[in-house]
Amino acid sequence: MSNLVYILNGPNLNLLGRREPEIYGADTLEDVAGRCTEVAKTEGLTVEQRQSNHEGQLIDWIHDARDKAAGIIINPGAYTHTSIAILDALSAFGGPVIELHISQVHRRERFRHHSYVSRRADVVIAGCGVHGYELAVLHMAKLLQG
Ligand code: DHK
């Protein structure tokens, strides 16, 4: 089985560290990616980390994962709350899916309480800040070990 895990980030997450730091923290996506690579290594995993502001691009990467990746960790950003298309793409993926939010979305505006992606996600992590990414990699390793 492949030991490759996709970590996909949706819209506005390229601004991590500069965007609303009181909510999303001061670390950049690059900082997070570096730590995920390290954690993955200790777990015998390889991570492919991508970010896009475009729904279709995220969907294409999820399709791509069907042949290449053992699991997907995804922070779909605001598409969490709007995208049936991302839900459908994830439903066509066979491996474990971890949905991740940096913030505790249920303590925020009402429109952030509903997630289409959660209907498919095996695990949801929210409110751990960017540490959630490392937790997600660790937990993905556990899921893949069966
Ligand atoms: C990130 C976003 O960009 C928001 O649109 C979501 C999520 C929450 C996060 O907490 O990582 O509502």
Side-chain angles (χ1 to χ4, degrees):
M1 198 229 296
S2 153
N3 66 349
L4 180 65
V5 173
Y6 275 22
I7 303 180
L8 302 179
N9 283 287
N12 300 307
L13 289 159
N14 53 313
L15 296 180
L16 206 58
R18 289 172 287 153
R19 160 203 190 206
E20 300 181 274
E22 68 287 358
I23 298 175
Y24 298 106
D27 291 346
T28 65
L29 199 54
E30 218 174 32
D31 297 329
V32 174
R35 289 201 295 269
C36 285
T37 301
E38 287 309 309
V39 174
K41 234 185 264 171
T42 66
E43 296 299 316
L45 297 176
T46 307
V47 281
E48 176 84 39
Q49 308 189 60
R50 299 177 181 173
Q51 186 278 331
S52 176
N53 294 322
H54 304 281
E55 188 176 20
Q57 177 64 83
L58 292 163
I59 291 165
D60 286 345
W61 287 336
I62 295 166
H63 291 174
D64 200 41
R66 281 163 50 84
D67 298 324
K68 296 187 182 142
I72 296 177
I73 296 166
I74 183 165
N75 182 345
Y79 289 138
T80 305
H81 319 297
T82 62
S83 181
I84 298 169
I86 288 178
L87 167 64
D88 286 350
L90 289 169
S91 298
F93 176 74
V97 172
I98 299 181
E99 173 185 351
L100 164 68
H101 306 290
I102 297 166
S103 63
Q104 209 295 49
V105 280
H106 297 285
R107 217 165 57 178
R108 299 181 63 192
E109 303 95 323
R110 212 178 164 75
F111 60 81
R112 294 185 205 276
H113 297 182
H114 177 262
S115 165
Y116 283 105
V117 171
S118 290
R119 282 193 73 92
R120 166 63 181 89
D122 300 291
V123 173
V124 180
I125 296 173
C128 298
V130 292
H131 183 55
Y133 286 90
E134 290 167 65
L135 296 175
V137 173
L138 283 172
H139 194 70
M140 181 60 80
K142 227 178 176 24
L143 292 176
L144 292 174
Q145 280 156 18

